[in-house]
Amino acid sequence: MSPTLTPGPTDSLADVAGLHVGHHHLLDDTVSVAAPDAAGAGAATGCTVVLTDRAAIAAVDVRGGGPGTRETDLLDPSHSVQRVDAVLLTGGSAYGLAAADGVMRWLEEHGRGIVMGGSGSPDEPALVVPIVPGAVIFDLPVGNWSTRPTAEAGYAATAAANGATSVPRGCVGAGVGARAGSLKGGVGTASVRVEDGAAAGATVAALVVANPVGTVVDPETGLPWGLGPGRAAALGLTAPTAADIETGRALDAKGTVLNTTIGVVATDAPLTKAACRRVAVAGHDGLARAIRPAHSPLDGDTLFALSTGTATLPEAGPMPDAFPAELPVLAAVCEAAAEVVQRAIVDAVLAATGLAGIPSYRDVYGTAFTPR
C-alpha cells in the first residue's frame, strides 16, 4: 500500500533538517544566446551548493549519456567513504567543476571533512579532507562562452548556504543559464512528509536544476508533464487556451547537443549507502515523468541521494533474513523520491523567468494561470 504523502512546511529541500542550500550566479543585462555560427554575450551562469550540518550518507545514480561529474566513483556502495560534506550543482559544463575547489576551501576553513590529523584546537587545526561530489549542466551558449563558475563562485555559494533556512528557486544559482527544452529552465525544489507506514514521520525532498533537451510540457494539454487535474489545481493552474498550446507547439526545438538535469534527493530517514543508491535510482523515475525524453544520449542526467538519519521512525517489524531490516522504510522513501523529483522539475519550470529570448512557461502559457 502506498504511503500517504503531504507537502512539507516549505515544500523545499530545507524541510530536511540539517541541509542548507546556497546559490551564487553571474547575470547581467547584456545576455544573449549563441547562434550556431556566433558567440553569446554577457554573463548568465552560476552554481548551487547543498551543505550538510553533519556529513550525510550519500550515493548517486547517473543515467544520462553525457554526464559531467566529480567524485561519483567514491559514492559506489562498495567503496569506503560513506558520507559527504556538501554537493555541488553547477553550470559551466566541465569547466564548472572548478567551483568544487571553492566549496572544499570553505569546508576546510571551517574544519569540515574527514579528519586525517591535528587535534582541532586553535593551536593545532584539524587536518581534513572535505568530500564534495558534484555534477554540471551545459549552459555555455547562454551568455559568453568563457564566463563560467569558478572556485570563488563555489566558495560564495557555500557561504550563502551556511545557516540558510529557505531555498530560492527559478533563475538562480546553477539554474541561471538553464533551458528546459524550448522553455527557460532553472532551479526547482519540493518536499513531502510520509504520514503513515514504516517511514511515518520521515521527510523526503528534492532540489533539481532542469536543463533537459526533452520537453517539459505535454503538447496536447499545455500543462507540465505528469500533472493531473488535482495537482494542477493545487498549483493554481488550469488548461491554457488552444492559442497558447499552438504557440508552444510552434517553438523551435532546443538547438544544442549538450544539456542535462541534475539534482539532489534527500531524506532524514536513516538509510545505508546502498539504500541511498536505490533512492537515487527511484528519483530518476520522477525525472522521467516530468521530462520526455529523459536520460537521452544528449543529457548527463545525474541525481545524488543523501540521508541525514535524524528522523525517529516507528519500530520496524521483523523481516525475513533474506532482506535488509530497512527495506520497508526504503520502499516508502523511494516512492516519495520519485514524487518529489517530479514536483521539483515542475517547480523549476514554473518558477523560471524568460531570459535572452528564451521564453518562460508563463510567457508562452500565460492563460494557464487565469482562473476559468
Side-chain angles (χ1 to χ4, degrees):
M1 182 176 178
S2 295
T4 302
L5 307 176
T6 59
T10 70
D11 203 11
S12 77
L13 196 73
D15 290 332
V16 178
L19 298 184
H20 311 277
V21 178
H23 303 296
H24 179 77
H25 56 256
L26 300 172
L27 178 62
D28 61 40
D29 295 335
T30 66
V31 178
S32 66
V33 177
D37 57 351
T45 192
C47 60
T48 297
V49 170
V50 177
L51 180 66
T52 67
D53 281 344
R54 175 177 173 270
I57 301 291
V60 69
D61 189 41
V62 180
R63 293 291 177 96
T69 57
R70 178 184 188 275
E71 298 277 41
T72 49
D73 283 352
L74 175 146
L75 298 181
D76 186 292
S78 67
H79 291 177
S80 301
V81 173
Q82 301 292 300
R83 297 176 179 269
V84 304
D85 300 291
V87 176
L88 170 71
L89 307 174
T90 183
S93 190
Y95 297 105
L97 290 173
D101 293 341
V103 182
M104 290 189 69
R105 178 162 60 88
W106 188 97
L107 289 164
E108 182 182 29
E109 289 176 1
H110 290 78
R112 297 282 308 278
I114 300 174
V115 178
M116 307 300 291
S119 66
S121 68
D123 296 330
E124 189 184 25
L127 304 177
V128 298
V129 178
I131 304 300
V132 184
V136 305
I137 66 167
F138 182 76
D139 62 353
L140 296 175
V142 182
N144 189 311
W145 183 277
S146 299
T147 302
R148 311 143 185 163
T150 61
E152 288 69 29
Y155 187 97
T158 312
N162 186 34
T165 57
S166 62
V167 184
R169 55 194 84 189
C171 295
V172 294
V176 165
R179 288 182 288 179
S182 56
L183 299 174
K184 186 69 182 71
V187 172
T189 187
S191 73
V192 295
R193 178 180 168 87
V194 182
E195 299 294 349
D196 48 26
T203 295
V204 184
L207 177 84
V208 173
V209 184
N211 184 58
V213 69
T215 65
V216 291
V217 174
D218 183 341
E220 298 299 319
T221 67
L223 292 171
W225 284 115
L227 282 191
R231 182 61 183 161
L235 294 172
L237 296 177
T238 57
T241 63
D244 281 1
I245 292 173
E246 189 56 38
T247 297
R249 289 174 179 166
L251 291 174
D252 292 334
K254 188 175 182 181
T256 175
V257 296
L258 297 171
N259 308 276
T260 297
T261 295
I262 56 179
V264 173
V265 57
T267 182
D268 55 8
L271 297 175
T272 62
K273 191 177 181 185
C276 280
R277 173 64 189 277
R278 295 309 309 176
V279 173
V281 169
H284 278 285
D285 291 345
L287 191 153
R289 294 174 191 171
I291 298 168
R292 303 185 189 185
H295 311 133
S296 81
L298 307 180
D299 290 287
D301 297 338
T302 299
L303 291 178
F304 299 94
L306 303 178
S307 167
T308 63
T310 57
T312 300
L313 303 183
E315 190 71 28
M319 289 293 295
D321 290 343
F323 300 113
E326 66 187 344
L327 186 59
V329 172
L330 176 60
V333 171
C334 284
E335 186 166 342
E339 179 72 15
V340 293
V341 170
Q342 176 187 345
R343 291 189 183 191
I345 292 170
V346 171
D347 183 56
V349 173
L350 297 181
T353 51
L355 177 72
I358 307 169
S360 69
Y361 179 85
R362 188 180 289 271
D363 292 334
V364 177
Y365 302 97
T367 56
F369 299 89
T370 303
R372 287 192 300 279

